[in-house]
Amino acid sequence: MRIVKTAIATLLAILIAEFTGVDGALSAGLLAILGVDVTRKRSLVTISARFFASILGLILAFILFHVLGFHIWVLAIYILIAFPLITKARFKEGIVTSSVVVFRVFGGEEISWQVMLTQVELLIIGLGSALLVNFLYMPKTEEKLLDIRRQVDGRFSVIFQQIAASLRDPYHLWDGKELTEAAKLVDEGLSAAKRALENQMIYPNEAWTVYFYMRKQQLDRIEGMMELISQVYQRMPQGEFAALLFDRLSIDVGQEEYTGITEQMLAELEQQFKTMELPSTREEFEIRSAILQLCRELSLYLEVSKKSKAPAPLKAAGRKKTLLGR
């Protein structure tokens, strides 16, 4: 799609330059190629940088060409002075664009206000065409983000099912590939969410960014859970009780709001743990301790969800529907 937009912007710039009678219509097309970018906000920033960098470069080049003349070695002096100056002015993205404009002036071997005006007109037409095309159309990412979210929620659900199975059967085998897949999907989702946010100029919606940051934090908690699961090497009633929590969580993980069901079950289980008899052996103590710590990690996991979205009652009260899953 970026290639298609580049082609349209280039054609538009050349046609406008020819229609308005500006000399060097092909240069306007080249500037349009340099101006097309991936997001609206980035396009606005980079095109502004390219325009002002080109103006700064033109002024410096006119001074150098007027004083030293049109010699190849003058271009080297221009580069040595202009590039650091443009970078210091925070227009680094415009170095290439400014060079194209300056080299065109050098090729014409003429310095006048008309030449300066022509270059500015080409900049406005070329970069303006790119900006116009960028603002008129950007690919919609909502469906892609929703698809990534479904995949992430699916991986999380499988992870919790596997944790529950391991608590019930310490000899249960699992290769853990869903953890790696979930991490890659979360990173992919974060990149896509940031691009989508940069395309929203007036009312930016950060819901998707919040969702993927939430999942990234929760993956850290899950990694802590996996270390504790490895310490549960015997089947115990407490493990069965904890497995019920993860059974519930594997269902709730795809919900759009925070229901608090697993949190309530966890609170009840912790109270139940306090009424149980103390461990009679060292092995039982170690395993029950690991299960208790696992529940604490689960509590931290749920806290992340609780902070990142509104609870279910708020949605029922008419609040805006959130994109976040549990």
Side-chain angles (χ1 to χ4, degrees):
M1 184 52 62
R2 186 177 179 182
I3 295 174
V4 173
K5 290 196 299 180
T6 301
I8 295 172
T10 302
L11 180 61
L12 181 63
I14 293 173
L15 291 176
I16 292 174
E18 288 182 342
F19 179 78
T20 55
V22 178
D23 184 35
L26 293 179
S27 295
L30 178 59
L31 291 169
I33 292 174
L34 295 173
V36 176
D37 219 316
V38 292
T39 67
R40 290 190 176 99
K41 285 184 180 178
R42 181 173 172 80
S43 176
L44 185 61
V45 171
T46 55
I47 285 178
S48 299
R50 290 183 174 109
F51 179 80
F52 290 114
S54 299
I55 297 298
L56 184 60
L58 278 171
I59 294 172
L60 179 60
F62 268 52
I63 294 172
L64 290 175
F65 295 153
H66 177 73
V67 174
L68 303 175
F70 291 91
H71 305 288
I72 295 296
W73 54 269
V74 177
L75 290 176
I77 294 176
Y78 166 79
I79 292 172
L80 291 173
I81 298 175
F83 284 17
L85 186 62
I86 291 173
T87 301
K88 191 172 183 180
R90 298 183 179 179
F91 300 142
K92 186 177 180 180
E93 295 88 348
I95 287 177
V96 174
T97 307
S98 65
S99 299
V100 170
V101 175
V102 169
F103 276 53
R104 187 174 186 278
V105 173
F106 179 84
E109 296 187 358
E110 180 185 350
I111 299 175
S112 66
W113 287 110
Q114 183 59 43
V115 172
M116 173 70 82
L117 178 61
T118 298
Q119 301 310 313
V120 173
E121 288 175 337
L122 289 173
L123 282 168
I124 293 173
I125 293 172
L127 297 178
S129 297
L131 185 64
L132 178 63
V133 171
N134 272 335
F135 268 71
L136 285 178
Y137 180 78
M138 277 291 173
K140 295 190 179 297
T141 56
E142 192 71 16
E143 286 298 322
K144 180 181 179 181
L145 288 166
L146 187 58
D147 180 62
I148 295 174
R149 178 204 156 177
R150 287 169 179 160
Q151 293 185 61
V152 171
D153 291 348
R155 299 305 191 283
F156 270 63
S157 179
V158 173
I159 290 169
F160 294 136
Q161 291 171 14
Q162 294 294 334
I163 290 177
S166 297
L167 286 169
R168 291 189 174 97
D169 179 12
Y171 297 101
H172 173 73
L173 297 177
W174 174 44
D175 57 12
K177 67 176 182 178
E178 285 79 12
L179 280 168
T180 305
E181 292 171 354
K184 289 180 179 178
L185 286 167
V186 167
D187 289 338
E188 181 184 348
L190 272 174
S191 298
K194 289 177 181 178
R195 285 196 300 273
L197 193 60
E198 287 187 353
N199 280 324
Q200 301 167 17
M201 301 295 295
I202 301 177
Y203 299 109
N205 182 0
E206 298 184 357
W208 284 113
T209 307
V210 172
Y211 166 79
F212 287 111
Y213 269 123
M214 177 188 74
R215 288 301 189 216
K216 196 172 186 68
Q217 287 180 291
Q218 289 176 329
L219 276 172
D220 293 336
R221 300 265 68 90
I222 292 174
E223 288 178 5
M225 294 179 193
M226 299 310 300
E227 294 180 7
L228 294 168
I229 288 291
S230 65
Q231 300 175 30
V232 181
Y233 51 86
Q234 286 185 13
R235 188 174 182 178
M236 299 192 68
Q238 290 82 1
E240 176 62 36
F241 295 147
L244 294 175
L245 297 176
F246 289 98
D247 285 338
R248 180 70 236 182
L249 197 55
S250 69
I251 298 173
D252 290 347
V253 73
Q255 297 295 318
E256 295 182 350
E257 69 285 326
Y258 183 78
T259 63
I261 297 176
T262 306
E263 184 182 14
Q264 183 179 354
M265 291 174 61
L266 177 59
E268 293 173 356
L269 180 59
E270 288 177 341
Q271 290 298 321
Q272 189 176 353
F273 279 169
K274 293 178 181 179
T275 63
M276 293 180 179
E277 295 183 0
L278 295 175
S280 57
T281 64
R282 180 181 179 85
E283 288 77 11
E284 184 182 355
F285 171 80
E286 291 175 348
I287 295 172
R288 287 177 59 175
S289 176
I291 294 173
L292 182 59
Q293 291 180 63
L294 177 64
C295 291
R296 297 287 165 79
E297 282 290 337
L298 177 56
S299 178
L300 293 173
Y301 170 95
L302 295 173
E303 274 299 315
V304 174
S305 291
K306 203 171 183 180
K307 290 178 181 178
S308 299
K309 57 187 176 178
L314 291 182
K315 180 184 173 186
R319 292 295 184 90
K320 184 179 179 181
K321 186 177 181 181
T322 179
L323 293 170
L324 303 176
R326 187 150 176 244

